[in-house]
Amino acid sequence: MVEKQESITAKLCSFARAFHSNFGQEKIFDDYLAFDLMGKNQYEEMGQLIENGFDGSKFSHKKWFCHENIMDALYKYILPIPLSRISFAERELESFAEKYTAGGNKIQYVICGAGMDSFAFRNTNENIHVFEIDHPDTQKYKKERIEELEWILPRNLTFVPVDFTRDSLREKLLENGFNPELPTFTAILGVSYYLELSVFEETLKIISDLTREESRIIFDFPDKTTKSLSAAPRVRNLAAITEKLGEPMVKGFSIHEIRRALGTHSLKIERHESPKEIQKKYFFGRDDKLAAFENVHFVTAIKRRNIFRRKTIGGRR
């Protein structure tokens, strides 16, 4: 099951979107609300964390981090994955919405581990109902930030607080107005890095069982090179950083394992972007040092019915 209480790595991803929106010259994704939603104090905390070699004990309310001191680590380790995957996710969502909201039809966008995601406040399509799933403590902080900013909560936004040690994701979604009959787009981003495949598969199963055919699930995942001796130095270094932060990565999965896990739950890969494809699509020709991670893949899966039903004699099922 996905347990996504606000983590340090989640805060670093928010920092990445805020920093890039404010200072990026060639924007991969412009989350222009990220800094406001994150808040100055949390932004400063993450800046100092990077500046101090990811040692949170050195944070000081009396100091300010220096941009020049974090640029190398920021561009190598922090920016590439969050920026490219949110760009991928929202492009896929846009295509999904264009297909299914024509004529005023409704769709649902479920964000697992939403954190400080700002889509609901950037969204201009009233036919997309957003369900933000997260730990109650994280949502409490986010709601407080929204109140401080005096933002108006969109009518098509629903917060779904889920403590996976006690709550059922399925029950919580249904209690909060989720409609299994509507086309649904679900994002599970930044989660698979920290879970064994069998655990991640539980969430795939819940979402698949709860959604109608033609719905989509989008996620990113690390491949088998993540903790191998042949892994790129940057991959090994990022794994060391997350472990230092108390969030160790798993060994990663092969695309064949992902395909099998999806197929077991009536899901089929519709789009797969490999590291080389991500590099070409989001980072090619840039003047800065941003580059796709060597072990990260993006997937969009589509819900189908009984993918693996066997044919019987005569071709009948």
Side-chain angles (χ1 to χ4, degrees), residues 1-226:
M1 184 69 65
V2 173
E3 174 72 77
K4 187 83 174 188
Q5 186 172 0
E6 186 160 42
S7 64
I8 298 298
T9 53
K11 291 179 181 179
L12 284 170
C13 290
S14 297
F15 180 89
R17 295 194 298 270
F19 186 96
H20 187 64
S21 180
N22 287 337
F23 302 106
Q25 297 300 310
E26 304 171 72
K27 289 183 174 56
I28 296 170
F29 183 83
D30 187 8
D31 191 346
Y32 54 87
L33 297 179
F35 178 83
D36 289 337
L37 196 52
M38 186 179 193
K40 184 178 179 180
N41 292 338
Q42 198 172 90
Y43 182 84
E44 177 63 33
E45 180 186 351
M46 291 301 101
Q48 284 194 37
L49 181 68
I50 300 169
E51 186 176 48
N52 293 324
F54 301 96
D55 183 350
S57 67
K58 295 182 179 179
F59 173 74
S60 172
H61 291 284
K62 299 179 181 180
K63 296 181 180 179
W64 302 96
F65 75 89
C66 175
H67 284 186
E68 292 182 1
N69 294 342
I70 69 170
M71 296 302 283
D72 184 59
L74 186 65
Y75 275 68
K76 274 186 181 178
Y77 305 114
I78 309 303
L79 295 181
I81 299 174
L83 297 178
S84 54
R85 76 179 172 210
I86 193 64
S87 180
F88 173 75
E90 292 202 10
R91 286 182 184 181
E92 291 286 282
L93 172 63
E94 183 178 4
S95 297
F96 185 79
E98 285 177 358
K99 180 177 181 180
Y100 288 100
T101 62
N105 295 318
K106 306 291 184 180
I107 67 168
Q108 298 168 131
Y109 178 29
V110 177
I111 311 175
C112 296
M116 295 297 112
D117 190 282
S118 66
F119 174 81
F121 296 92
R122 293 181 282 106
N123 175 39
T124 58
N125 188 341
E126 295 181 353
N127 294 317
I128 302 176
H129 193 114
V130 181
F131 292 86
E132 291 197 8
I133 299 171
D134 221 324
H135 191 277
D137 292 343
T138 302
Q139 290 193 341
K140 181 176 181 293
Y141 175 80
K142 187 171 188 176
K143 289 178 179 179
E144 289 172 353
R145 284 296 306 150
I146 292 168
E147 185 174 346
E148 290 171 9
L149 293 165
E150 298 183 346
W151 288 0
I152 298 173
L153 285 174
R155 289 181 298 176
N156 55 339
L157 167 63
T158 300
F159 290 106
V160 184
V162 179
D163 181 345
F164 286 106
T165 63
R166 299 177 301 184
D167 302 327
S168 161
L169 174 57
R170 176 187 176 87
E171 291 177 3
K172 282 292 184 178
L173 275 170
L174 293 174
E175 286 173 6
N176 283 277
F178 180 87
N179 184 352
E181 300 302 317
L182 290 178
T184 301
F185 188 98
T186 302
I188 313 175
L189 303 177
V191 171
S192 65
Y193 301 82
Y194 311 101
L195 301 176
E196 296 296 334
L197 183 56
S198 60
V199 180
F200 183 58
E201 192 176 332
E202 290 180 30
T203 301
L204 296 176
K205 179 183 186 303
I206 292 169
I207 297 299
S208 179
D209 289 347
L210 196 57
T211 55
R212 53 167 271 184
E213 290 182 55
E214 304 299 313
S215 291
R216 273 39 169 212
I217 298 178
I218 190 170
F219 59 92
D220 54 333
F221 75 93
D223 64 32
K224 289 280 192 179
T225 67
T226 298

